Amino acid sequence: MTVATKERKLTIARAMAEAIAQEMRVDERVFVMGEDIGPLGGVFGNTRGLHEEFGSERVRDTPISETAFMGAAVGAAADGMRPIVELMFVDFFGVCFDAIYNLMAKNTYFSGGEVQVPVVLMTSTGGGYSDAGQHSQCLHATFAHLPGMKVVAPSNAYDAKGLMTAAIRDNNPVIFMFHKALQGMGWLGTEKDAIVHVPEESYEVPIGKAAVVREGSDVTIVGITSGVHHGLKAARQLAERGISAEVVDLRSLVPLDRAMVIESVRKTGRLIVVDEDYHSYGVSGEVICSVVEQGVPLKAAPQRVAYPDIPIPFTRPMEQWALPNADKIVAAFETMEKNA
């Protein structure tokens, strides 16, 4: 007789904290550093409960010096530790980018594979709550463009826990990008569909493997983090018109699961890519290029729904005008049909 598994829904924030705690219990080399990640539990809730269980030796509040704690993380990793570092907002990457890209990403290559740098850099992305241009960017492509680091970005709590576990166990540096609007923090607003069943036991979601989260036959909508949820909403709108949309959640930007995207587009013949990062030179263009370069037969020109190439506005009406949403995806499909 099969025993039904009791549903256990978690927010992304709780799922991330649970994954970190489980790895810290089995591997003494794992520790956490960052601003306000100790007794406060992190501004976005990613480390809640860790300080109480593991103490200040392994859950270290740092001064407001991103350069210092990123450099310390690289050194600790090279010396055999497995640090997890929170960069509170991805927008702050410029302060410590030398440590990230010239050290963390390159040292394994520079050493001929002799020095591993297993750092997990978790950082918040995304806007929608009027925090302006220095606290609201996504910058997916900035990190994905630079070799030497894996880049993951979950859209739901199940994937968040599995990807965090995989990231901590990986011997490569991993950038873990979580979208603030999906975290489950009430003051940010929450996408309810990001709160899903999460098994209590430890598990991994493979880095570099996308997922089809809705099957369809007429158009492929590819998204990352918030873009997945916009895509699902658009798919429901299109279904009311008799249009069957398939939604693909990339989950990982490096490695990028080009094969799954290509397989889906071969089936549907149409492609829309959704990304809250900037429109030009981004992940959206890379995904489209991956399909076109393979000569996949298309029924219409691919479309992308992304953030316009402007600094993110502070005022809510202007920011909402700029953000991707389901209506823009539906409009992109209409453009495809009109120009086909």
Side-chain angles (χ1 to χ4, degrees):
M1 184 178 71
T2 302
V3 178
T5 303
K6 184 178 179 181
E7 190 171 58
R8 177 177 175 267
K9 288 192 173 184
L10 295 184
T11 63
I12 288 181
R14 290 305 309 153
M16 290 172 65
E18 183 169 273
I20 295 170
Q22 288 176 340
E23 290 305 295
M24 291 181 74
R25 289 174 194 139
V26 299
D27 190 340
E28 292 184 352
R29 299 172 299 170
V30 179
F31 70 100
V32 190
M33 288 193 299
E35 298 158 2
D36 297 325
I37 56 92
L40 182 65
V43 172
F44 304 109
N46 306 323
T47 56
R48 284 189 179 173
L50 299 183
H51 186 266
E52 290 82 352
E53 180 175 353
F54 300 102
S56 57
E57 184 73 15
R58 296 183 67 193
V59 183
R60 298 188 167 208
D61 270 330
T62 66
I64 303 175
S65 178
E66 288 81 6
T67 299
F69 64 69
M70 277 308 308
V74 172
D79 200 37
M81 302 297 285
R82 305 188 80 85
I84 303 166
V85 184
E86 179 170 292
L87 182 64
M88 191 180 293
F89 293 87
V90 72
D91 317 70
F92 299 169
F93 82 98
V95 180
C96 53
F97 206 38
D98 185 59
I100 295 171
Y101 184 53
N102 277 328
L103 301 178
M104 187 179 85
K106 295 179 179 176
N107 278 356
T108 300
Y109 179 81
F110 287 162
S111 68
E114 293 297 315
V115 178
Q116 294 178 333
V117 191
V119 177
V120 177
L121 172 58
M122 58 182 180
T123 187
S124 72
T125 65
Y129 64 106
S130 298
D131 216 358
Q134 294 178 334
H135 297 80
S136 305
Q137 298 171 98
C138 280
L139 304 181
H140 296 139
T142 301
F143 292 93
H145 176 68
L146 301 170
M149 305 176 290
K150 295 184 178 182
V151 183
V152 301
S155 70
N156 62 75
Y158 178 89
D159 288 349
K161 179 176 177 179
L163 286 170
M164 177 58 76
T165 301
I168 295 170
R169 295 175 181 176
D170 202 300
N171 287 326
N172 298 283
V174 180
I175 310 295
F176 190 106
M177 309 181 83
F178 58 90
H179 194 289
K180 294 186 283 289
L182 308 182
Q183 282 301 96
M185 304 295 286
W187 60 279
L188 286 169
T190 297
E191 172 56 63
K192 62 181 179 59
D193 288 341
I195 303 172
V196 297
H197 171 68
V198 178
E200 192 167 356
E201 66 272 12
S202 181
Y203 61 91
E204 292 188 41
V205 168
I207 296 176
K209 184 66 175 175
V212 175
V213 295
R214 180 187 175 111
E215 294 188 353
S217 56
D218 296 325
V219 59
T220 297
I221 302 172
V222 176
I224 191 78
T225 64
S226 61
V228 176
H229 297 282
H230 296 317
L232 289 168
K233 291 181 175 72
R236 292 192 284 269
Q237 291 184 30
L238 291 169
E240 295 175 358
R241 308 184 187 185
I243 299 160
S244 174
E246 181 152 294
V247 181
V248 176
D249 182 350
L250 291 176
R251 301 198 295 192
S252 171
L253 299 174
V254 181
L256 181 63
D257 193 350
R258 303 173 198 270
M260 181 171 286
V261 175
I262 290 168
E263 179 183 357
S264 177
V265 179
R266 283 192 191 280
K267 178 175 67 173
T268 66
R270 299 179 181 88
L271 172 62
I272 301 172
V273 188
V274 189
D275 185 17
E276 199 179 312
D277 199 359
Y278 298 115
H279 180 274
S280 298
Y281 315 107
V283 171
S284 56
E286 183 65 25
V287 171
I288 290 171
C289 185
S290 298
V291 171
V292 172
E293 284 181 336
Q294 292 301 310
V296 177
L298 295 170
K299 300 173 183 176
Q303 300 290 311
R304 49 182 157 170
V305 177
Y307 207 95
D309 298 326
I310 58 172
I312 296 172
F314 169 73
T315 64
R316 181 172 177 80
M318 290 179 67
E319 184 184 26
Q320 291 299 317
W321 169 84
L323 285 166
N325 58 40
D327 291 340
K328 291 182 180 180
I329 298 170
V330 172
F333 180 81
E334 292 170 347
T335 299
M336 295 172 75
E337 291 299 273
K338 179 180 178 181
N339 296 333

